[in-house]
Amino acid sequence: MELIAGTGRLHRGVGLGRTGVVTVSTGEASLVADLAQRTGLDLPPVPDAARAAILAGLPTMGYIGNPLDPWGADEERHAYRVAFDAMASSGAYDVLAIVHDSPFRDLPSEVEVARAVSGALIDATRGRPDLLPVYVSLTAGDVSEQVKATLAAAGGMPMLRGAVEAFAAIPRCARPAPRAPGAGRAAHGATPGPRSPGTTSRGARMRPSIRWLAPGCVFRRHASSPNARAWSGSPPPACR
């Protein structure tokens, strides 16, 4: 529900669900990569131009991939701004996420790190309505009030608790990828003739069924045509 609510607050959606993830530790990055297959999360590789921009701004970086861990490459606000700017400018992502564990007992140093890296994401996605910024707390625990205030001041950036739940929600709300030109045409390249709405090629009525992708994300699937999808009503922003 928080992802849906957050997209409504920011008036941005998850698009195709292509997600760029930045973490504050290599362990977190490895965990997210391991979760991708389980959750269905799409993690496109870092494009060459973005890779070059990251290396130009952070020449001490070794491995560059998605998920990305720039921790220690420079002062955190600069390092994370370089990383997010490069990924945001690449056009390869619909969602950019910062992963940070909930600061233990709200320790001031940890809270400040969380606010700094979140601020870098907020700055990099400002003025980019095609990009959805997301804060992911690695565990399902509560987030400090200071971090909540930082996200609220940015218009209510989605704050997702629990890595599995967070990264499973994004692909559930993603819209289907465009079909390749000519896909689904009749054999031998023939173009089917016009059909009456709600009928199959044999004239039979199609039996609709409802499937939930996420709270508020519903599409109508016709039983006689498993690949045909039509929205039931107007989809919420997260599902567009």
Side-chain angles (χ1 to χ4, degrees):
M1 291 297 291
E2 169 59 14
L3 180 59
I4 302 293
T7 59
R9 292 190 298 265
L10 295 181
H11 304 290
R12 305 183 188 192
V14 303
L16 297 175
R18 302 171 302 166
T19 304
V21 178
V22 180
T23 73
V24 295
S25 79
T26 302
E28 290 178 353
S30 298
L31 175 62
V32 174
D34 289 342
L35 289 175
Q37 183 173 4
R38 174 180 172 185
T39 61
L41 183 68
D42 184 9
L43 294 172
V46 178
D48 291 341
R51 180 187 300 273
I54 292 171
L55 285 175
L58 303 171
T60 62
M61 281 288 293
Y63 173 77
I64 295 178
N66 182 23
L68 179 67
D69 168 30
W71 183 260
D74 205 317
E75 185 272 332
E76 58 258 22
R77 184 171 288 276
H78 172 72
Y80 283 78
R81 182 62 191 270
V82 168
F84 279 126
D85 276 348
M87 297 176 83
S89 302
S90 71
Y93 308 104
D94 305 296
V95 179
L96 286 182
I98 179 66
V99 177
H100 191 283
D101 204 356
S102 301
F104 179 67
R105 294 182 179 176
D106 289 353
L107 292 176
S109 59
E110 288 297 312
V111 170
E112 187 54 37
V113 168
R115 296 182 65 191
V117 297
S118 299
L121 173 57
I122 292 167
D123 291 342
T125 55
R126 183 177 289 115
R128 297 181 184 273
D130 56 330
L131 270 174
L132 177 69
V134 173
Y135 180 97
V136 176
S137 176
L138 193 64
T139 63
D142 201 7
V143 178
S144 71
E145 293 301 320
Q146 297 96 319
V147 174
K148 289 180 182 178
T150 298
L151 305 184
M157 193 169 94
M159 179 179 59
L160 309 181
R161 299 182 178 97
V164 174
E165 294 81 0
F167 291 125
I170 293 171
R172 284 203 300 265
C173 285
R175 68 174 183 264
R179 301 180 69 182
R185 291 191 176 184
H188 308 297
T191 302
R195 300 175 183 172
S196 300
T199 62
T200 66
S201 58
R202 297 182 180 180
R205 297 294 299 178
M206 292 188 287
R207 295 177 287 108
S209 61
I210 296 295
R211 175 185 173 192
W212 288 88
L213 295 180
C217 300
V218 186
F219 69 76
R220 187 175 298 275
R221 182 189 293 277
H222 295 290
S224 60
S225 180
N227 293 323
R229 299 182 178 185
W231 286 104
S232 174
S234 178
C239 310
R240 295 174 187 161

